[in-house]
Amino acid sequence: MRAVRIHEDLSLRVDEIDDLTPGPGEVLVRVHAAGVCGTDLHILDGMIKPDPYPMTLGHEAAGIVEGVGEGASIATGTPVAIYNKIFCGRCEQCLKGRTNICDNEPDQLGFNRDGGDAEYVVVPEQNAAPIPDGVDLATAAVLTCAGMTAMHATKLSGLRLGDTAVVDGIGGVGILVVQAAAHAGARVIAIGDSEEKLSLAAEHGASEGVLVDGADGYDTVADRIRAVTGGRGTDVFFELVGTTQTMTAGIRSLAKGGRFVSTGYTDQSIEIHPIEFILPETSLISTVAATRLDLEDAMRLSATGAMNVPIAGRYPMEGIDDALGALRKRAVLGRQVLDLASPS
């Protein structure tokens, strides 16, 4: 079988590897679509290091079950979205439903375990979430990262009907956060680095947009957010860019009692005095990936039309470099996918 593999020298190649066989409790999935995510760039840049190399890239995948191991009960032919965090299901966090922070240090597809940028993938049955009617495989693939992350961040934010929410970074995740926040009943203000991205946000539920041009553009963001909120600031600031400038601007845009939701990251840090959190009693909320339930909720929203994934481009497996190149240039409106449905 073929797979997109990252090697220790950080080169990316389409390799021929051994065919996969599901073990007890596992399922073999023929991958039809795999999403291309900004986190893949962090792996290519060496910020996230797989162990061991080489590793099959990709943590967003959906396809059709073609084989089951002993003890697995899902039927062959079932379309499934792959939940990428391997979890034990028995620890304190899993029993609380927080499968994304399993106490037993789980593997994660495309991070430290072979992922879904391949013709086939094998996962525990509990990681294969049946796709509801009305959701196509490309959409389901994107929901296994961007969609469930948007759901998880929105839930943790404590967003309430009538709140104001700012979404900073209208990329593949941000456009879905816009939709999740609007679905929760918030007034959504989008921050983007192009008019095209702000237009996309408006099409998906944002009522206002703030255009920034380069890092220096964030110097005035807090003032601009207060200007459009009558001086009050925003109840929730979803931060998806992860630079020092963007995070600082987000914290300073909050209303009293507001919540700063940290999802995006780079190699930069937050540099701010704690008094800026203490005096207005604002909160910093961190999010990592999402739970299996968040994935299911994202697919349910998509099935009703309340969460729409803009597919910006479809590539064959050999087109992974082109897809990642477009992502690095911040030239993608929505999300890209690898189309892996052709016969092997």
Side-chain angles (χ1 to χ4, degrees):
M1 57 171 272
R2 296 182 308 145
V4 176
R5 306 273 280 176
I6 183 165
H7 295 257
E8 194 162 7
D9 62 0
L10 302 183
S11 64
L12 201 61
R13 300 196 292 270
V14 176
D15 293 340
E16 291 280 348
I17 63 173
D18 292 340
D19 290 339
L20 302 175
T21 301
E26 294 182 330
V27 297
L28 173 71
V29 177
R30 174 67 167 98
V31 180
H32 281 235
V36 181
C37 179
T39 303
D40 295 334
L41 295 178
H42 293 331
I43 296 171
L44 285 176
D45 293 342
M47 185 185 302
I48 298 172
K49 298 182 183 300
D51 182 22
Y53 290 98
M55 181 196 73
T56 301
L57 198 65
H59 56 278
E60 306 181 17
I64 307 296
V65 175
E66 283 200 4
V68 298
E70 180 183 356
S73 59
I74 194 168
T76 58
T78 301
V80 294
I82 304 300
Y83 176 64
N84 59 53
K85 298 277 280 190
I86 307 299
F87 60 100
C88 74
R90 301 180 302 276
C91 70
E92 176 185 352
Q93 298 305 326
C94 285
L95 292 174
K96 290 178 178 179
R98 301 175 69 173
T99 53
N100 59 318
I101 52 173
C102 172
D103 284 331
N104 290 316
E105 297 184 355
D107 292 338
Q108 187 168 5
L109 298 180
F111 284 77
N112 57 0
R113 173 175 172 144
D114 284 341
D117 288 1
E119 292 177 318
Y120 290 90
V121 66
V122 164
V123 296
E125 181 181 18
Q126 65 188 7
N127 286 77
I131 300 171
D133 292 341
V135 180
D136 63 77
L137 289 163
T139 295
V142 175
L143 295 178
T144 65
C145 176
M148 71 176 190
T149 298
M151 292 296 300
H152 190 65
T154 303
K155 290 176 184 179
L156 289 186
S157 74
L159 200 62
R160 294 180 288 270
L161 185 67
D163 278 354
T164 297
V166 172
V167 180
D168 182 20
I170 306 303
V173 178
I175 194 61
L176 299 181
V177 176
V178 167
Q179 295 176 64
H183 184 74
R187 169 196 180 187
V188 180
I189 302 169
I191 299 178
D193 59 7
S194 73
E195 291 288 1
E196 291 80 7
K197 290 181 181 180
L198 294 183
S199 294
L200 185 68
E203 292 169 9
H204 289 84
S207 57
E208 290 118 320
V210 172
L211 178 66
V212 293
D213 183 14
D216 291 344
Y218 279 90
D219 293 344
T220 62
V221 159
D223 290 338
R224 295 170 71 184
I225 294 301
R226 293 191 183 280
V228 298
T229 56
R232 180 177 176 274
T234 183
D235 297 290
V236 177
F237 193 103
F238 292 100
E239 214 300 298
L240 299 152
V241 180
T243 68
T244 299
Q245 291 91 342
T246 61
M247 292 185 286
T248 302
I251 293 165
R252 291 174 177 167
S253 298
L254 293 174
K256 291 181 178 179
R259 286 88 70 198
F260 177 84
V261 182
S262 180
T263 300
Y265 62 94
T266 64
D267 58 354
Q268 298 182 32
S269 60
I270 298 176
E271 297 175 6
I272 198 161
H273 196 283
I275 201 71
E276 295 199 46
F277 279 109
I278 292 169
L279 290 182
E281 289 194 341
T282 51
S283 303
L284 189 154
I285 299 168
S286 62
T287 71
V288 58
T291 69
R292 160 73 190 253
L293 180 59
D294 293 324
L295 172 57
E296 293 173 351
D297 287 344
M299 289 196 290
R300 277 192 284 268
L301 274 188
S302 180
T304 66
M307 181 171 280
N308 174 263
V309 175
I311 302 295
R314 297 173 184 263
Y315 298 80
M317 188 181 297
E318 292 79 6
I320 183 66
D321 286 331
D322 292 335
L324 289 168
L327 198 59
R328 194 180 293 280
K329 293 175 184 175
R330 301 180 63 84
V332 179
L333 291 177
R335 204 71 157 185
Q336 303 172 112
V337 296
L338 299 181
D339 184 355
L340 308 178
S342 59
S344 58

